[in-house]
Amino acid sequence: MKNLLTILIALTLFSCNKNDNEADAYGNFEATEVTISAESNGKIEFLNLDEGMQLEKDAVVGQIDTVQLYLNKQQLIASKSTIYSKSANVLSQRNVLNEQLKTTLIEQKRIKNMFDENAATKRQVDEITGKVKVLQQQINSVETQNAPIVNEVKSIEVQIEKINDQLKKSKIINPVKGTVLAQYAEPNEITAFGKPLYKIADLSEMTLRVYFSETQLSSIKVGQEVNVSIDENEGTKPYKGKISWISSSAEFTPKIIQTKEERVNLVYAVKVIVKNDGSLKIGMPAEVKL
């Protein structure tokens, strides 16, 4: 009887330990993968990257040939200078007419004063007034001639800005800090706008997507710390994680997570952020304990 009682106690303790060690959720690690594509057409002059390489944000990792863009820009600059010289001639005429108008206005004022004092005739007043109007019309005509020249210069300036933008985009600049996961192009290859060059992801923090049952929802919340573990040799390796997102809708348990019987259950996806010490990889399985 005593031996039977001892066996029952041992079985009870074993059962409790098994339940305590059982994970509350299972899932796989993932990261936000960014595919960097070419923003210009041409030959890749250089591409300083390799799979597994750590890249900083805004680092220049490559260059696409810009010879044709540079030559087009120089041609536009020369055209702009030629058009400016035409405008300079027109503006020079306008300046001469403006000086003549100033002198004529002074003369008009003097004659009007003389007319008020009966020292000038009405004919003199009319002549000087007519002369002022003629000069004003000539100035307006010259400014009208200059308007299309100005518009042509503005058009060329817009074209130059477009080329400057293309020159800027010919530099391959890494947009996010992370690790190169895959390389799709090599130096001296011809690339085109939108063609993938490499894939990168920030692996310093990994996202563990796990699934909880409806009955477990009341036990979790955003910002809550949880225990995460991965398989290591014959045991497990622990990590601290924090819940960053909880799905608002249920879904069937993914096939990769549980047994065939349990896949018919409805569960809620949850994202857990985990600091990566270098051991965590994309797609690696892990479990969560509350």
Side-chain angles (χ1 to χ4, degrees):
M1 184 70 179
K2 184 177 180 181
N3 290 335
L4 180 59
L5 182 61
T6 302
I7 292 172
L8 289 173
I9 293 172
L11 288 173
T12 302
L13 290 173
F14 175 79
S15 177
C16 290
N17 288 335
K18 184 178 180 181
N19 291 333
D20 289 341
N21 292 328
E22 186 177 353
D24 293 295
Y26 303 87
N28 297 79
F29 282 105
E30 57 187 34
T32 301
E33 300 178 8
V34 181
T35 299
I36 311 303
S37 301
E39 295 185 85
S40 183
N41 303 323
K43 185 174 76 172
I44 301 175
E45 296 291 339
F46 71 90
L47 191 61
N48 294 332
L49 56 84
D50 200 358
E51 293 179 358
M53 180 183 292
Q54 298 280 339
L55 296 179
E56 294 294 325
K57 182 180 179 181
D58 297 329
V60 178
V61 297
Q63 175 72 55
I64 299 173
D65 178 54
T66 59
V67 173
Q68 292 301 317
L69 291 174
Y70 174 78
L71 294 176
N72 289 339
K73 180 179 177 180
Q74 295 305 309
Q75 186 178 17
L76 288 171
I77 291 174
S79 298
K80 180 181 175 181
S81 298
T82 302
I83 295 170
Y84 261 136
S85 64
K86 295 179 182 178
S87 179
N89 291 333
V90 173
L91 294 177
S92 176
Q93 295 177 33
R94 188 190 65 179
N95 292 337
V96 171
L97 291 171
N98 279 328
E99 289 301 320
Q100 291 179 3
L101 179 61
K102 288 180 182 178
T103 303
T104 306
L105 287 173
I106 294 172
E107 181 67 13
Q108 182 187 42
K109 185 177 180 180
R110 186 181 67 81
I111 292 176
K112 282 185 176 181
N113 290 335
M114 291 175 61
F115 178 76
D116 292 339
E117 297 175 359
N118 296 320
T121 64
K122 182 71 168 56
R123 182 178 179 179
Q124 289 176 302
V125 174
D126 293 340
E127 286 178 351
I128 196 65
T129 301
K131 191 174 181 180
V132 168
K133 289 181 179 180
V134 169
L135 288 171
Q136 289 174 337
Q137 289 174 356
Q138 289 177 337
I139 291 171
N140 290 336
S141 176
V142 170
E143 289 178 345
T144 302
Q145 295 174 28
N146 192 54
I149 298 175
V150 172
N151 290 334
E152 192 173 354
V153 169
K154 288 181 179 178
S155 176
I156 290 179
E157 288 176 342
V158 170
Q159 294 179 61
I160 292 174
E161 284 303 311
K162 288 174 65 176
I163 290 181
N164 286 336
D165 182 62
Q166 290 176 308
L167 288 169
K168 181 180 178 181
K169 290 179 178 177
S170 295
K171 285 185 177 180
I172 304 170
I173 300 176
N174 182 56
V176 294
K177 179 181 179 180
T179 303
V180 178
L181 303 179
Q183 181 176 345
Y184 305 122
E186 296 291 342
N188 298 315
E189 288 184 356
I190 303 298
T191 189
F193 181 86
K195 186 177 179 180
L197 300 174
Y198 64 97
K199 183 188 291 183
I200 190 170
D202 185 359
L203 303 182
S204 60
E205 279 189 346
M206 301 290 286
T207 300
L208 176 62
R209 182 185 286 268
V210 294
Y211 298 87
F212 285 92
S213 65
E214 186 175 2
T215 57
Q216 293 174 300
L217 281 182
S218 60
S219 303
I220 60 175
K221 62 181 179 179
V222 174
Q224 178 180 340
E225 290 192 352
V226 294
N227 296 314
V228 177
S229 59
I230 61 172
D231 294 332
E232 184 182 55
N233 297 327
E234 297 180 357
T236 59
K237 184 176 181 179
Y239 290 87
K240 288 292 183 182
K242 182 179 289 187
I243 296 176
S244 63
W245 172 81
I246 301 174
S247 175
S248 58
S249 58
E251 59 183 283
F252 286 106
T253 309
K255 295 181 179 180
I256 61 171
I257 301 298
Q258 300 288 355
T259 63
K260 182 177 180 181
E261 291 77 13
E262 291 175 321
R263 286 203 295 268
V264 299
N265 296 330
L266 287 174
V267 293
Y268 289 80
V270 174
K271 291 183 180 179
V272 179
I273 302 298
V274 182
K275 289 284 186 181
N276 190 1
D277 61 356
S279 299
L280 305 181
K281 307 293 189 296
I282 295 175
M284 179 182 287
E287 57 185 42
V288 172
K289 296 178 183 177
L290 299 177

